[in-house]
Amino acid sequence: ENKDPMAIINIPVLNDDNKDLKTKCPFVLNGANSIATDSEITSYVWTIDDNQTLNGKDQNLSLSTIGMHEICLEVTDSHGL
């Protein structure tokens, strides 16, 4: 039985002191901890609520507006799940 992979997102802030998160500071999106128990992950697709779509396990992101944002990661494994 093929099992669906699980997307796990890690987004550390690239500010050394993190004192001013009101700015549109750059972020690194990291999906390396995503899990596919019975196959390999072959695709990482990031969707950001400001109409950005990024492909790949690791991506740099600068947001166009200040505030809360929805960031989604969809992973696909070698079985197409």
Side-chain angles (χ1 to χ4, degrees):
E1 174 184 347
N2 293 334
K3 296 182 180 180
D4 290 341
M6 182 185 333
I8 299 174
I9 299 173
N10 182 24
I11 308 175
V13 178
L14 293 181
N15 265 3
D16 287 339
D17 57 4
N18 289 336
K19 68 178 180 168
D20 190 10
L21 295 179
K22 294 180 182 178
T23 63
K24 298 175 280 185
C25 60
F27 296 90
V28 174
L29 305 177
N30 183 307
N33 291 329
S34 298
I35 301 168
T37 57
D38 61 349
S39 62
E40 292 184 33
I41 295 175
T42 57
S43 172
Y44 298 80
V45 178
W46 300 88
T47 306
I48 296 86
D49 63 2
D50 66 354
N51 296 319
Q52 293 186 66
T53 300
L54 307 168
N55 295 289
K57 186 182 346 181
D58 302 309
Q59 291 294 322
N60 292 319
L61 171 66
S62 292
L63 298 168
S64 59
T65 59
I66 296 170
M68 294 189 66
H69 291 272
E70 183 174 319
I71 300 172
C72 298
L73 171 61
E74 180 178 334
V75 295
T76 305
D77 67 11
S78 58
H79 298 295
L81 298 175

